[in-house]
Amino acid sequence: MQLFVDDLTVIDFSYLCKQRGIVGESWIVDVLLDGSLNDQSMVLDFAVVKKQIKAIIDDAVDHKLLLPAQEQAITLAESTHNEGHQTIDFISDVANYYLQSPACAFASIDCLSITVAAVTTHLTAIILAQLPDNVQGLSLVLRPEVISTDYYHYTHGLKLHDGNCQRIAHGHRSKIKVYVDDKRDNQLEAEWCQRWKDIYIASEADRISRDDIELSAYAISNLTPDHQYFSYHAPQGRFDIAVDSKVLDVVDCDSTVELLADFILRQIKAGHPELANNTVQVVAYEGVAKGAIVHG
């Protein structure tokens, strides 16, 4: 007997990629269970599937930075600054990134590169170990949203968030819609998707000096003038990141989707004086099927 739940959840995360750097991503999750009927004549109660399996997935990978454990360009170590924290030194082809975060903000995957197949294998083993004995098989489908227009991958953190959005390196794959006088403007959308291609978005309010950043000894010895530094304390602990300027956009607000939509609108208006008398609407997405709308 098989039981399925499509669109069980969306996992929003970032991952380390040797070729691209830190990449924000969003995948939709479908679940198919194989098993015998229990004493309630069910393979598993839908409420359990939706609650328990979603919780397992969230705990394993959602709003985390995924690390391909076999990639030699990544060094993960215990922090010498804060108990229960870890540091990452990442030397990618596009930039060098250095981080400190609570250990719960990272997830190591036994692979050379983060792929749908690698994460599927990782999650399948974790979920099966926690399901009842009558469930003998589990098939997961992880899939990106089908987007026919431009989109971007971004990574950020929200220090004021009580949940896992506070983690300084989680992200999303997001589309954007821009309307000028109620007409879709594909050129403006493409401009923003190019600007925020594999970007790290930091808030100016979180900027700190090089002297105040907490990273590994290797990181401190290898920082360059091109690095910028951001840090904050949140309920889960202290978060630090050093990011190269060429893969960074610093905004004058928190990076909630509401304020990012407003930031994009203000930037469009400032950068396109010919639109001063036009109505511009920005529909910014945070991953799949959620976002914010502003106009002005």
Side-chain angles (χ1 to χ4, degrees):
M1 183 71 68
Q2 293 182 311
L3 184 76
F4 69 90
V5 178
D6 292 337
D7 302 319
L8 172 68
T9 190
V10 175
I11 52 176
D12 292 302
F13 63 97
S14 289
Y15 66 94
L16 300 186
C17 174
K18 182 66 166 63
Q19 294 74 37
R20 296 171 59 187
I22 295 182
V23 183
E25 188 58 272
S26 300
W27 289 341
I28 303 165
V29 182
D30 303 324
V31 176
L32 177 68
L33 300 173
D34 284 284
S36 55
L37 298 181
N38 60 20
D39 56 7
Q40 296 177 313
S41 299
M42 301 176 180
V43 174
L44 196 63
D45 191 310
F46 279 118
V48 174
V49 175
K50 292 179 180 180
K51 184 176 181 180
Q52 181 182 2
I53 296 182
K54 181 183 183 306
I56 295 170
I57 292 171
D58 287 350
D59 184 64
V61 297
D62 191 51
H63 285 75
K64 295 195 177 203
L65 180 62
L66 304 193
L67 319 175
Q70 298 175 24
E71 175 54 71
Q72 296 184 356
I74 301 168
T75 300
L76 175 67
E78 297 303 312
S79 173
T80 60
H81 301 281
N82 298 283
E83 184 178 357
H85 289 54
Q86 294 177 314
T87 59
I88 289 177
D89 305 326
F90 178 42
I91 314 304
S92 81
D93 294 345
V94 295
N96 297 343
Y97 305 79
Y98 305 107
L99 301 94
Q100 176 191 244
S101 289
C104 63
F106 304 138
S108 292
I109 311 291
D110 186 18
C111 60
L112 182 60
S113 59
I114 299 298
T115 63
V116 166
V119 178
T120 299
T121 299
H122 178 76
L123 286 176
T124 299
I126 292 174
I127 296 169
L128 274 176
Q130 300 184 53
L131 294 181
D133 293 340
N134 68 300
V135 179
Q136 288 91 40
L138 168 69
S139 296
L140 294 177
V141 174
L142 307 181
R143 54 186 173 87
E145 177 188 15
V146 176
I147 302 175
S148 60
T149 55
D150 292 295
Y151 56 86
Y152 48 82
H153 300 257
Y154 74 96
T155 299
H156 70 145
L158 299 173
K159 68 172 180 284
L160 300 178
H161 198 272
D162 290 334
N164 294 334
C165 291
Q166 69 188 260
R167 295 168 180 169
I168 204 166
H170 78 276
H172 314 273
R173 172 182 179 262
S174 301
K175 60 188 176 184
I176 183 173
K177 298 177 182 178
V178 179
Y179 297 87
V180 177
D181 294 336
D182 298 323
K183 182 178 179 181
R184 189 89 175 260
D185 193 312
N186 295 324
Q187 181 176 342
L188 287 174
E189 293 173 6
E191 287 178 9
W192 275 94
C193 291
Q194 183 59 41
R195 174 170 171 170
W196 281 358
K197 179 181 178 181
D198 298 344
I199 200 71
Y200 185 85
I201 298 176
S203 297
E204 183 61 44
D206 299 329
R207 184 188 296 278
I208 61 171
S209 70
R210 174 173 173 157
D211 291 341
D212 293 328
I213 195 77
E214 293 186 359
L215 301 168
S216 73
Y218 174 87
I220 295 299
S221 298
N222 287 274
L223 294 171
T224 72
D226 292 326
H227 279 101
Q228 299 184 45
Y229 313 105
F230 304 90
S231 179
Y232 52 78
H233 288 85
Q236 292 179 359
R238 173 168 173 145
F239 295 86
D240 296 81
I241 189 168
V243 188
D244 193 297
S245 298
K246 62 177 172 286
V247 290
L248 172 69
D249 203 347
V250 182
V251 299
D252 59 359
C253 55
D254 279 341
S255 56
T256 63
V257 69
E258 296 91 339
L259 293 182
L260 289 181
D262 180 69
F263 176 80
I264 293 169
L265 175 63
R266 290 186 286 112
Q267 291 282 299
I268 289 174
K269 283 286 193 173
H272 294 272
E274 72 277 8
L275 300 179
N277 296 320
N278 299 88
T279 298
V280 177
Q281 176 177 281
V282 173
V283 183
Y285 284 77
E286 183 185 76
V288 179
K290 63 185 188 297
I293 302 172
V294 296
H295 55 84

